[in-house]
Amino acid sequence: MIVGDITRFTNKGMGLAMRVLAAGLAALLALTFLNLTVLPGTALAEEADGVDAATEHLVLPAPEEPEAGSNVFVYLHLSGPALDTAKATGLEVNREGWFTVGVIALEGIAKPSEKPLNYEVDQPELEAMQSQIDTALRSINYYPGAQALSLSAAKWTSLKVCSGATDYAAAGHTWHLDGELCDQLVNFDVRYIDAEGNALAVGDVDDQGNKTDTRTILAAVGSEIAADDQIIDIEGYEYSKDLTTEKNGGESVTVAAEPLARPPFPA
């Protein structure tokens, strides 16, 4: 995969207010694959509806527990500019602003059945686990549609034992990782190309029903988008970290933005 150079933001799907608040510069992440007959990379889920108590939505079976560690159900609370943008661009959140992200397998923690209901990891221990959590998030099993929201600016605030898991058919005690995101979000385009720079039609679907070479995600202004987090399954191709880094001058691209000038009021 090769990450492309910085280009302008494409505020597709945003209303006028969001275009004024969000901005004029953006980063284009072009992920390049080599034409090799090897095992494909990690697949991302297909997009679908999110969650709302008044909306019909998917309830997925709980994944099988890993032998070491435990499954952890991941949720984000969106507020402020993040919630406004998410709603304006069609992401489904519930009435309290919660967004279902998916499930990670976290090593080094007890099975939830071994802990009492409402047990919560204290903040010093949670902070010490941040690196482990970040690693697990790279292999997250996304809830359908959740991959449209970058987790790069999320702040993980709570790891606790709950009863069941919203949007999953999970009975009994379960681990929940809760986070928050309130930053300004903007559209960020991820392009998929081969080693020669040719487009790969593996991204979003256009108005004619054809897949493009670009997938658009929501990312917080000032956050860094890592190419490794945007790998998808492309048959016959393998992600090239070296080419990606070379193309972008680094392993990640910073999402930058500046407010657009307000038009003058008529005299």
Side-chain angles (χ1 to χ4, degrees):
M1 265 185 201
I2 293 180
V3 179
D5 300 323
I6 293 178
T7 61
R8 65 183 181 281
F9 276 123
T10 57
N11 292 305
K12 300 187 295 294
M14 291 190 180
L16 177 60
M18 298 311 300
R19 288 193 176 96
V20 172
L21 292 173
L25 298 177
L28 179 68
L29 189 67
L31 305 178
T32 301
F33 290 76
L34 296 176
N35 190 3
L36 303 174
T37 54
V38 296
L39 292 176
T42 303
L44 298 181
E46 291 297 324
E47 294 187 8
D49 289 337
V51 298
D52 190 296
T55 304
E56 184 179 354
H57 57 269
L58 291 174
V59 175
L60 300 182
E64 185 177 345
E65 283 281 340
E67 291 185 6
S70 177
N71 282 328
V72 177
F73 296 85
V74 183
Y75 299 91
L76 267 181
H77 184 256
L78 306 182
S79 62
L83 180 59
D84 294 338
T85 306
K87 288 183 175 179
T89 53
L91 286 183
E92 297 284 352
V93 296
N94 69 16
R95 290 188 179 90
E96 289 75 38
W98 284 97
F99 181 76
T100 301
V101 180
V103 186
I104 59 175
L106 196 58
E107 297 183 358
I109 62 172
K111 299 298 183 184
S113 58
E114 299 174 16
K115 298 290 185 180
L117 192 62
N118 299 322
Y119 170 85
E120 185 169 347
V121 173
D122 62 32
Q123 286 301 309
E125 184 179 355
L126 180 59
E127 291 174 5
M129 296 175 65
Q130 288 297 322
S131 177
Q132 179 185 354
I133 290 171
D134 290 342
T135 298
L137 286 168
R138 290 184 179 275
S139 301
I140 187 170
N141 183 2
Y142 281 105
Y143 184 79
Q147 73 275 19
L149 180 64
S150 170
L151 304 179
S152 57
K155 298 176 178 62
W156 304 108
T157 58
S158 175
L159 179 60
K160 58 189 178 182
V161 174
C162 299
S163 177
T166 299
D167 297 318
Y168 290 91
H173 292 189
T174 57
W175 281 106
H176 285 213
L177 175 65
D178 292 341
E180 59 184 24
L181 184 61
C182 61
D183 300 338
Q184 175 65 56
L185 302 176
V186 291
N187 281 351
F188 183 91
D189 286 345
V190 182
R191 290 189 61 234
Y192 295 86
I193 58 178
D194 65 17
E196 285 71 45
N198 302 310
L200 298 172
V202 294
D204 294 337
V205 177
D206 61 21
D207 294 339
Q208 286 73 45
N210 301 313
K211 281 198 171 185
T212 67
D213 65 341
T214 302
R215 191 167 58 87
T216 300
I217 60 176
L218 286 173
V221 172
S223 61
E224 289 191 348
I225 306 300
D228 288 359
D229 294 338
Q230 303 303 323
I231 300 171
I232 63 174
D233 183 2
I234 303 178
E235 185 177 357
Y237 291 85
E238 181 184 47
Y239 167 55
S240 172
K241 187 179 184 71
D242 290 341
L243 289 176
T244 298
T245 302
E246 177 185 345
K247 177 70 174 179
N248 288 270
E251 296 179 1
S252 61
V253 178
T254 300
V255 179
E258 60 186 7
L260 298 177
R262 293 179 179 273
F265 289 102

